[in-house]
Amino acid sequence: MADDDRQGEAFAFTDEQRELRAVVRDFCSANSDEGAVRRLMETEPGFDPAFWSRLGTDLGVLGLGVPEEVGGSGGGVVEAAILAEELGAALVCGPIIGTLALAIPALVAAPASVERDAALRGLLDGARTAALVLPDLAAGFAPSAVSLTATDSDAGWAVRGTVDQVVDGAVADDLVVPAVGPEGLVLLLVDAATSGVRRRPLGTLDRTRTQATVHFAEAPARLLATGADAERICRHALDVAAVLLAAEQVGVGQRMLDLSLAHARTRIQFGRPIGSFQAVKHRLADMYVDLEHARSAAYHAAWALQDGTDDARLVTSIAQAVCSDAATRVARDAVQVHGGIGFTWEHSAHLYLKRAYADAALLGGAEVHRDRVAALVLDEAFVSEGRVSVAAG
C-alpha cells in the first residue's frame, strides 16, 4: 500500500508484495507439483515435513504477519493472504489452516510468556506444526460452544474431553486448546505427543487436508491465557483464518480458470478451438467475474483486518460468503469446460473441486456467513438508541 493516509485510497499491491507472490509461486512450482500432491495425500502424515520446514527457514514465509520482535518476518495479513493464495493455487498438502491460519495468529495474540514464545519459534521455523482445537469453527467464536474442561492443581493444568473434526489435528505437534476452567474460559497449550492425548484421523472429501477426532484424558497442559484474553485470542484467530481461507479459495479458483483457459485454446472440436464457441466463452467470462469478485472481497478483508479500518466480523463473513460460492462455482464450471476428461481421476480438476467444496464448509459455509452479515448489518441497523424498528424479512 502507498501512503499512511489511506482514506478513500484504492488497494494496490506493492512491488514487495508482487515479489513475494512470485517467490512463493516459483517455490511451489518446483517443490509441490501435481505429482507430489497425489503422492503425499496417500501417505502419513499427508504432507512433506521437509517442504514445510523450508517454507519457514529458506523462505521465512510462515512468519508473515508476525512482528519481528517475536521472531516473525513482519508484514501483515495482506502478505499472509498472498501466501495462502499461492499455496491454495498449488494445492499444497500441509497444515495451512491449523498452523498458518489459526495457531500462529492465536499465539501472536496471546500474552508474552516462555511457553508462548517457545511454541511460536517452533511454528515459525517450520520445525513443528499446530492446530486450534475447537468444537465448531463456524462463523466466529462462541465461548458457550467450548466443550473441553480443564483443571488446575499442584501438578499443573490438565484438560479432558473430546473434539471432532479438528483441522490438521492428526498431524499437529502442538494443540492450542480453549477449555472451561475452574473460573471460566482458559487457553491452553498441549503437546500432542504427551500422555492423555489420543487422535483418530478422519476420512474426508479433500484428501489433501487432514482432520481428526482428538480426545484428552487429563492431558498435561500449559496456560496461555484466561478469561477475556482467551476469548479475544480465539476470536482474532478465527477472523484471520477466515481471511486466509478466503485467499486460498481465490488461489483454487485462479488455478482452475487458468487451466480452463488453456484447455479452451487447445481443445479442438469441429475444426475449431472450443474457446471460440459462444457458450464456452460465456462460461469462462462468468468464471472470471466470479473470481475477480472473490479476490476483491478477500483482499478487502485482509486490508481491513490489518489496518483496523472496518468491522472484522463483517468483512471476514463477506469474504467467506463470496469466496466460498465463487470457488465452488469456478471449480464446478472448470470440470464442465474440460468435458469428459474433467471427470476423470487422472485430471487435476477433481482435486481442486474437492478442495473448493471442503473449504466452503470449513468455517461455516456461505449460508452461515450470509446470515451473520444480515445480523450485523440489518439487525444492528434497526436497533438505534433504544428504539427497535421492524424490517421486512
Side-chain angles (χ1 to χ4, degrees):
M1 260 81 56
D3 314 324
D4 291 331
D5 181 16
R6 298 172 182 171
Q7 279 292 353
E9 181 184 347
F11 175 87
F13 292 112
T14 65
D15 290 340
E16 291 80 6
Q17 289 166 344
R18 285 189 286 269
E19 178 65 21
L20 167 65
R21 183 183 298 280
V23 168
V24 175
R25 182 174 297 177
D26 289 346
F27 183 79
C28 290
S29 177
N31 297 281
S32 184
D33 59 11
E34 183 183 340
V37 171
R38 288 181 179 270
R39 174 177 56 82
L40 289 170
M41 71 184 198
E42 302 292 345
T43 65
E44 293 291 341
F47 75 104
D48 181 1
F51 173 88
W52 192 258
S53 177
R54 290 185 64 194
L55 285 176
T57 54
D58 294 359
L59 270 66
V61 292
L62 297 180
L64 288 171
V66 179
E68 294 180 7
E69 55 266 27
V70 294
S73 306
V77 183
V78 172
E79 284 76 16
I82 292 170
L83 171 63
E85 181 184 345
E86 293 304 319
L87 296 179
L91 210 68
V92 166
C93 296
I96 298 167
I97 299 300
T99 301
L100 182 69
L102 286 167
I104 289 176
L107 290 171
V108 170
S113 67
V114 173
E115 290 80 7
R116 185 208 70 161
D117 293 348
L120 199 51
R121 281 195 300 272
L123 299 185
L124 296 182
D125 64 16
R128 294 177 69 82
T129 62
L132 181 64
V133 183
L134 276 174
D136 184 5
L137 296 177
F141 176 71
S144 59
V146 174
S147 59
L148 300 176
T149 57
T151 56
D152 184 19
S153 66
D154 292 340
W157 286 90
V159 60
R160 62 179 177 272
T162 301
V163 177
D164 292 319
Q165 296 180 295
V166 177
V167 182
D168 296 321
V171 299
D173 298 304
D174 293 315
L175 302 170
V176 180
V177 182
V180 179
E183 298 181 5
L185 188 68
V186 294
L187 190 66
L188 304 170
L189 184 67
V190 177
D191 187 330
T194 197
S195 61
V197 177
R198 295 200 312 272
R199 298 182 284 181
R200 179 171 58 87
L202 302 173
T204 58
L205 172 67
D206 178 13
R207 295 170 66 182
T208 66
R209 173 163 287 152
T210 66
Q211 294 187 24
T213 294
V214 182
H215 177 71
F216 300 92
E218 301 299 330
R222 291 161 286 169
L223 183 66
L224 291 172
T226 62
D229 270 348
E231 183 173 346
R232 171 186 57 80
I233 292 164
C234 291
R235 291 187 189 280
H236 171 75
L238 286 174
D239 283 339
V240 174
V243 171
L244 299 190
L245 179 62
E248 179 184 276
Q249 291 168 318
V250 171
V252 167
Q254 184 65 62
R255 179 57 59 89
M256 283 291 88
L257 177 59
D258 291 344
L259 290 176
S260 298
L261 288 168
H263 183 74
R265 293 188 187 104
T266 57
R267 173 65 171 142
I268 305 297
Q269 283 188 345
F270 307 108
R272 299 164 54 187
I274 64 170
S276 66
F277 299 123
Q278 189 175 50
V280 177
K281 286 181 180 179
H282 285 181
R283 189 180 292 272
L284 291 169
D286 287 343
M287 293 165 69
Y288 177 76
V289 171
D290 279 342
L291 184 60
E292 287 304 301
H293 189 195
R295 178 173 283 109
S296 295
Y299 281 100
H300 169 70
W303 189 15
L305 199 61
Q306 177 174 302
D307 288 2
T309 55
D310 210 336
D311 185 334
R313 300 169 300 167
L314 182 60
V315 296
T316 55
S317 276
I318 290 173
Q320 268 301 292
V322 171
C323 293
S324 292
D325 278 348
T328 52
R329 276 198 303 267
V330 169
R332 188 172 62 243
D333 284 350
V335 173
Q336 296 294 326
V337 170
H338 282 84
I341 193 174
F343 289 87
T344 64
W345 177 263
E346 289 75 20
H347 198 275
S348 61
H350 77 93
L351 298 174
Y352 283 91
L353 181 71
K354 291 170 182 175
R355 173 66 72 87
Y357 272 93
D359 279 359
L362 191 56
L363 292 178
E367 289 298 329
V368 170
H369 285 283
R370 277 195 284 269
D371 286 345
R372 191 183 185 201
V373 170
L376 290 169
V377 175
L378 299 178
D379 292 357
E380 292 185 8
F382 290 109
V383 179
S384 174
E385 298 178 1
R387 295 183 294 106
V388 179
S389 300
V390 179

